[in-house]
Amino acid sequence: MTLALAAVLLGTTAACGSGPVQTEQDPNAVLEIWVRKPPDSASAATAKTLADAFTESTGIPTTVTAIFEDFETKIQQAAAQQDLPDIVINDTAQLGTMAGQGIVREIDPDQLAGSQDLTPGSWDASRTVDGKTYAVPFSAQSFALFIRKDWREAVGADVPTSWDELQALAEKFTTEDPDGNGSDDTYGYVVPGSTKRGYTSWYYSSFLWSAGGDFLTESGDGYTPVIDSAASVAALQWFQDAACDGTIVPDAPTLETSQAHPLFESGVAGIYLTGPYMMARFDENLGADKYEIVPLPAGPGGQASVLAEGENVYLMAGSANEAGQQKFAEFAVSVEGQTIGMAGDSDGNIVRLPVNSQVAISEVRQDERWQIFDEVYRDSSRYVPIVPEWTPILQNSAEAFNTIIADC
């Protein structure tokens, strides 16, 4: 990036013999909000409802743009065209990349109304390696096992409480015709193992950590790779064996999440580690009585250590309404904003687990299964390491893991 472009992205212009000049401010300027959601989805509609409620509360006008495909690429294109939106709601894992590029504003949590009500863990996911805060937490989530309950009962197995029992269940699903159709056409695990957006590593990280392995370990002021440790290698061997013995769906190395979801609900495979956002869809397309949700059992490392992630509100650089940006962030994390974003028990949620400690899930959602994910998040989850930029590590490791499961 050129110095001139960097200056524009930071909301400044170089002035001879003077300090940076801020973009001219207009407290009534429309806030342009981008969300990473399919444009015609219920979640995109919820984002619009949240923005409308904010406008009604503050009088600040908003527009919402929902983009799903190539979301990060479109942000980069907007940056290059010096036409960034005012607000972006995006993955916590994008924090280091966006902060490093200078396209987001630094946040002072002490100046944010309601900041004291946000959970400490969510704030951790909004800080970069230098300890600075470049986002406001908005939503949290973790993952659990979706298991075909009817298949498990058909093969006479109990709910798995260890990795050995989990693997045994996957093998039964693969070999014992759990759907009773007389054909050898079922598998154990659904795995979105494509390298796109680093899906292989994104999915596999929970298993790697639970096995006692890791990508990196803290060393002095930085990190050292430990993907070649004994625990990491053993976990990768398990992953490859599951792919090669047929308990993982055959096309796993090419599957994105949108292609993986139907394999569970249509009866191709019976075990899927995924998020709470899939419950409404699977209830409708499969039936809530056909599957169950259980935490990932403790692995060889002695515990379950499941990926935690979520989304942040990013205040983009160069906005003409910085005061409005902050007000939107404050509204989004308020009890009202979080409640709107949770969208009850519908599949329109844009807040999976609330980051505001004053919001009780049981008062917003009747579906008690959400409590499983809340417990996993609070008791046995972890975010990716706080490094200057996680994306290249995610992508490079995904390509390596993908090669391993694709080559027996």
Side-chain angles (χ1 to χ4, degrees):
M1 157 185 330
T2 66
L3 181 60
L5 178 56
V8 171
L9 296 182
L10 287 167
T12 65
T13 55
C16 240
S18 65
V21 178
Q22 295 296 322
T23 303
E24 184 176 351
Q25 295 295 293
D26 177 1
N28 297 312
V30 176
L31 291 181
E32 185 179 0
I33 302 167
W34 283 15
V35 295
R36 188 178 178 273
K37 304 295 177 186
D40 297 325
S41 65
S43 54
T46 300
K48 181 68 165 56
T49 300
L50 176 67
D52 289 346
F54 165 75
T55 297
E56 183 176 353
S57 174
T58 64
I60 299 173
T62 59
T63 61
V64 176
T65 300
I67 303 169
F68 189 69
E69 293 296 331
D70 301 318
F71 186 70
E72 284 79 21
T73 299
K74 288 181 170 59
I75 291 175
Q76 300 308 312
Q77 291 171 343
Q81 296 165 4
Q82 303 176 18
D83 189 24
L84 285 166
D86 300 276
I87 297 287
V88 167
I89 300 177
N90 197 15
D91 296 345
T92 58
Q94 292 297 316
L95 174 69
T97 299
M98 297 172 73
Q101 293 171 336
I103 62 175
V104 292
R105 291 173 48 209
E106 185 178 354
I107 304 296
D108 182 354
D110 292 336
Q111 299 301 313
L112 189 83
S115 64
Q116 72 281 355
D117 293 332
L118 306 191
T119 60
S122 66
W123 274 121
D124 289 343
S126 69
R127 296 188 181 98
T128 52
V129 68
D130 59 3
K132 295 181 178 180
T133 302
Y134 283 96
V136 178
F138 176 63
S139 171
Q141 70 178 37
S142 196
F143 300 85
L145 292 171
F146 287 55
I147 297 176
R148 284 294 297 262
K149 180 182 179 181
D150 54 341
W151 286 15
R152 179 180 61 75
E153 293 173 342
V155 300
D158 295 327
V159 173
T161 59
S162 70
W163 271 29
D164 286 343
E165 292 177 2
L166 180 63
Q167 183 61 25
L169 182 63
E171 291 170 1
K172 286 178 176 291
F173 283 177
T174 304
T175 62
E176 296 187 11
D177 189 25
D179 60 1
N181 69 354
S183 299
D184 183 18
D185 59 357
T186 56
Y187 301 88
Y189 303 102
V190 176
V191 174
S194 167
T195 59
K196 185 173 181 180
R197 301 190 80 242
Y199 277 131
T200 326
S201 288
W202 172 80
Y203 169 85
Y204 173 64
S205 58
S206 297
F207 294 94
L208 175 66
W209 292 330
S210 297
D214 214 329
F215 298 91
L216 308 163
T217 188
E218 291 189 46
S219 177
D221 294 332
Y223 287 89
T224 299
V226 289
I227 198 62
D228 59 348
S229 69
S232 297
V233 171
L236 282 165
Q237 185 65 64
W238 171 83
F239 197 29
Q240 184 186 54
D241 289 346
C244 296
D245 67 15
T247 54
I248 289 178
V249 291
D251 295 331
T254 63
L255 294 177
E256 301 171 27
T257 52
S258 60
Q259 299 163 327
H261 303 330
L263 300 183
F264 181 79
E265 64 193 7
S266 66
V268 176
I271 303 170
Y272 191 14
L273 183 75
T274 189
Y277 45 83
M278 296 308 302
M279 292 191 298
R281 170 174 169 164
F282 290 160
D283 286 355
E284 179 179 355
N285 296 342
L286 175 61
D289 60 325
K290 297 290 182 61
Y291 73 96
E292 57 199 348
I293 301 171
V294 300
L296 178 69
Q303 63 180 7
S305 189
V306 181
L307 176 66
E309 59 177 16
E311 293 187 317
N312 292 329
V313 173
Y314 294 95
L315 313 189
M316 305 304 287
S319 172
N321 191 354
E322 293 183 357
Q325 286 179 303
Q326 177 152 329
K327 287 180 180 179
F328 178 82
E330 292 170 344
F331 183 83
V333 302
S334 69
V335 171
E336 181 181 358
Q338 294 273 282
T339 302
I340 292 171
M342 290 170 71
D345 289 315
S346 76
D347 63 353
N349 60 82
I350 55 174
V351 172
R352 276 76 183 260
L353 301 176
V355 297
N356 189 318
S357 61
Q358 303 304 307
V359 179
I361 292 180
S362 60
E363 294 180 1
V364 181
R365 294 175 172 142
Q366 301 302 309
D367 190 339
E368 295 181 355
R369 295 174 299 177
W370 280 96
Q371 297 290 343
I372 298 172
F373 294 96
D374 188 50
E375 291 169 7
V376 169
Y377 174 72
R378 296 180 186 279
D379 299 339
S380 57
S381 70
R382 58 177 286 188
Y383 286 94
V384 299
I386 300 175
V387 294
E389 191 171 0
W390 176 247
T391 300
I393 299 173
L394 177 73
Q395 189 62 44
N396 289 340
S397 59
E399 291 170 3
F401 298 160
N402 181 275
T403 299
I404 288 169
I405 64 170
D407 184 0
C408 295

